[in-house]
Amino acid sequence: RIDENIAANDPVRIVNTVVDNLNLDNFKKLYKATGRCPYHPKMMLKVIIYAYMNNIYSCRKIEKLLLRDIHYIWLSGNEHPDFITINRFRNRVKEEINTVFTQLVLVLADKGFISLDVEYIDGTKIESKANKYTFVWRKTVEKNRTKLMDKIRILLEQVDEVIAQENSMKDTAVEFTPAMLSDIVNELKEVLERQPVTKDKEQKKVIREKKKQVRELEQYRDKLMEYDNHLDTLGDGERNSYSRTDPDATFMRMKEDAMRNGQTKPGYNLQIGTQNQFLIDFQLFPNPTDTLTLIPFFHSFEQRYNRLPTVGVADSGYGSEENYRFMQDNGIEAFVKYNYFHKEQRPRYTPTPFHAESLHYNAGEDYYVCPMGQHMNRIGTRRDKTESGYITESARYKAQRCEGCPLRGSCFKARGNRIIEVNHRLNQYKRQAR
């Protein structure tokens, strides 16, 4: 027996048993019905999972272990796929691995190790293998694209052909596209080809100048196409940067910055949900801040298990009005801190008496009382939109008379009477969090 020297409680036996009981019907559609008989997908999946468990990710190393290590030989049934086959299988099942992960979590829930009622969420940034000097920044692209548009307009004004004038002077604020510039270039070339051959030096010089302008216009067209491709990759306001060699990666600051100079590197924001030390959900995000990832991460949980957790636990990086409201509306009990939560818990912490949250608030008549006892009446509402499109509302209150107040220097330093902005809904969520 090959497994004679493998212990009965060895992890390789757990991998073998678990994978044997998984439903891998979706793997069949990845193979053709004709051709050479492939290696069994369950055997290949067992080998790769066991190798990953032992921090082995190289296909060449896995190939050698299938010939040398008794655990891999038993797990593969003495089959010997080469490194190319292993890598091809790994890439082929990249999308299906997500389903395998979900099945494994459901097995844990069925066995009573987890309940899927509580989800502990946190994130970390992982660096991409992309070159750190292949960055593309949204602001730089937009600035250079605007400059290029001005150059194109100036160049078309210099071209005195009728077709160029019609396209460029119809509207001075026209937004040029690569297709539009291609049409102008083609029509200018046709006009130049119809020019009669001449020996006049002045006319030759004019034709050379026009050909030079056409070539320059072609270069501008190609550059405009490049900028448009960059903006398409970045999307509509979702990301501010990406890497040319790994377009999915966004430049962000990493925790393990040895130089401590805040250098940005291409990477991903990996969000992980756990329970009883088991991973129950994961997802990669291109945005570096955790605040915008909580709601999509809950949607990911719902898509996996057709339900939401009843309790959500996260640190202060997720404490925003939008996230609190989502959890409240969906019946998720929120154990989520907000910024300054830890600062408020310090023994020596004393709140600033002039801060808006320290002022007395009369909820019945909707006014605040300043440290001098003066009423601050409501004067309006300010609305702001977050990056995700959520609308926040802050009530504005204004003091009646701050002139000559002895506390003015400590209270505020702006001209006129003091105005404060208070987000009542967020303050209510903070009280619940406390």
Side-chain angles (χ1 to χ4, degrees):
R1 291 175 50 191
I2 299 178
D3 64 333
E4 186 176 356
N5 295 322
I6 299 177
N9 61 346
D10 195 282
V12 71
R13 295 189 183 274
I14 300 175
V15 173
N16 183 63
T17 305
V18 169
V19 175
D20 278 340
N21 288 279
L22 292 177
N23 181 8
L24 301 183
D25 291 340
N26 290 336
F27 280 53
K28 293 179 181 179
K29 65 183 181 182
L30 305 176
Y31 293 88
K32 295 181 180 178
T34 58
R36 184 181 174 183
C37 183
Y39 290 105
H40 201 285
K42 281 193 175 181
M43 181 274 290
M44 298 290 289
L45 188 62
K46 290 176 188 177
V47 170
I48 287 178
I49 289 177
Y50 186 67
Y52 280 24
M53 283 172 59
N54 292 280
N55 292 330
I56 298 170
Y57 307 102
S58 168
C59 294
R60 293 179 185 271
K61 288 183 180 179
I62 296 174
E63 179 187 8
K64 290 180 181 179
L65 289 169
L66 287 168
L67 299 171
R68 299 176 179 177
D69 194 303
I70 188 70
H71 299 82
Y72 289 87
I73 294 173
W74 173 76
L75 200 59
S76 65
N78 208 15
E79 296 278 2
H80 306 131
D82 59 9
F83 69 93
I84 297 175
T85 306
I86 296 170
N87 188 56
R88 190 183 295 124
F89 174 82
R90 183 168 60 180
N91 291 326
R92 181 181 292 169
V93 301
K94 197 175 290 184
E95 301 296 330
E96 302 302 327
I97 288 293
N98 206 25
T99 307
V100 171
F101 174 84
T102 305
Q103 288 189 55
L104 285 172
V105 175
L106 292 174
V107 169
L108 292 172
D110 185 56
K111 298 294 181 183
F113 289 102
I114 56 176
S115 64
L116 295 179
D117 290 331
V118 184
E119 186 177 22
Y120 296 82
I121 300 172
D122 203 357
T124 186
K125 296 180 178 67
I126 57 174
E127 188 176 345
S128 169
K129 291 293 183 183
N131 191 325
K132 62 183 178 182
Y133 299 111
T134 59
F135 45 78
V136 175
W137 300 99
R138 178 186 291 275
K139 287 185 178 179
T140 304
V141 172
E142 290 175 346
K143 182 176 72 175
N144 291 338
R145 191 177 183 278
T146 304
K147 291 181 179 178
L148 181 64
M149 283 292 178
D150 295 335
K151 290 181 180 179
I152 292 171
R153 290 191 183 95
I154 293 171
L155 180 62
L156 288 178
E157 287 174 3
Q158 295 172 357
V159 179
D160 58 352
E161 301 294 341
V162 177
I163 184 63
Q165 293 295 331
E166 286 180 355
N167 283 281
S168 65
M169 300 303 292
K170 252 181 214 175
D171 185 4
T172 54
V174 67
E175 185 74 14
F176 294 106
T177 63
M180 188 186 301
L181 294 179
S182 295
D183 294 338
I184 295 175
V185 167
N186 293 333
E187 294 181 7
L188 287 173
K189 284 183 177 179
E190 290 179 5
V191 172
L192 289 174
E193 288 175 359
R194 291 198 297 267
Q195 290 286 340
V197 180
T198 178
K199 294 182 179 181
D200 188 358
K201 290 184 178 181
E202 290 297 326
Q203 290 185 359
K204 284 184 177 181
K205 184 178 178 181
V206 171
I207 293 174
R208 281 199 304 271
E209 187 65 27
K210 289 178 181 178
K211 288 182 178 179
K212 181 182 176 182
Q213 291 172 345
V214 171
R215 289 195 298 271
E216 200 172 344
L217 192 59
E218 286 179 325
Q219 293 175 359
Y220 289 164
R221 176 200 61 193
D222 296 339
K223 201 66 181 175
L224 181 62
M225 191 181 299
E226 180 185 335
Y227 289 151
D228 288 347
N229 291 335
H230 288 329
L231 293 175
D232 288 340
T233 305
L234 289 167
D236 297 330
E238 298 175 1
R239 301 166 60 189
N240 292 320
S241 63
Y242 80 92
S243 170
R244 292 191 192 93
T245 51
D246 186 2
D248 294 331
T250 304
F251 278 77
M252 54 186 76
R253 287 180 173 83
M254 301 293 169
K255 293 179 180 177
E256 57 279 355
D257 183 10
M259 302 301 292
R260 298 191 178 185
N261 56 5
Q263 186 181 21
T264 57
K265 297 177 182 178
Y268 298 90
N269 188 354
L270 173 63
Q271 296 294 310
I272 299 174
T274 67
Q275 187 186 0
N276 288 348
Q277 299 185 352
F278 288 104
L279 269 68
I280 58 176
D281 196 10
F282 69 93
Q283 194 172 0
L284 289 168
F285 292 91
N287 47 308
T289 56
D290 291 335
T291 310
L292 300 175
T293 63
L294 186 67
I295 296 175
F297 194 54
F298 275 130
H299 288 316
S300 169
F301 186 96
E302 187 176 22
Q303 290 173 2
R304 276 188 199 280
Y305 310 115
N306 296 319
R307 51 169 289 191
L308 284 169
T310 55
V311 177
V313 185
D315 60 23
S316 58
Y318 302 86
S320 69
E321 179 190 344
E322 182 180 6
N323 293 338
Y324 285 132
R325 187 171 184 178
F326 174 85
M327 288 184 280
Q328 185 183 57
D329 293 345
N330 289 276
I332 302 173
E333 190 176 1
F335 289 88
V336 181
K337 300 169 187 174
Y338 53 88
N339 54 351
Y340 299 111
F341 177 85
H342 289 285
K343 188 177 180 180
E344 294 175 358
Q345 308 305 313
R346 294 175 184 173
R348 297 182 181 178
Y349 172 75
T350 53
T352 307
F354 302 103
H355 195 271
E357 292 187 5
S358 301
L359 304 180
H360 173 71
Y361 177 61
N362 188 318
E365 300 182 21
D366 194 15
Y367 67 83
Y368 277 85
V369 181
C370 79
M372 285 297 292
Q374 174 180 183
H375 286 193
M376 303 180 72
N377 298 319
R378 184 164 182 170
I379 59 173
T381 304
R382 177 181 172 181
R383 291 177 176 82
D384 293 315
K385 183 184 288 188
T386 63
E387 293 182 31
S388 61
Y390 179 78
I391 304 296
T392 61
E393 293 185 353
S394 299
R396 306 179 82 238
Y397 299 87
K398 186 176 183 179
Q400 296 175 6
R401 185 181 179 187
C402 294
E403 184 181 354
C405 178
L407 300 177
R408 182 186 176 105
S410 301
C411 186
F412 82 111
K413 297 180 181 179
R415 294 181 180 179
N417 297 326
R418 184 183 180 185
I419 297 176
I420 61 172
E421 294 182 358
V422 181
N423 189 332
H424 291 293
R425 178 176 287 164
L426 180 59
N427 287 342
Q428 175 62 26
Y429 290 139
K430 287 182 178 180
R431 285 192 289 271
Q432 291 177 7
R434 289 192 197 102

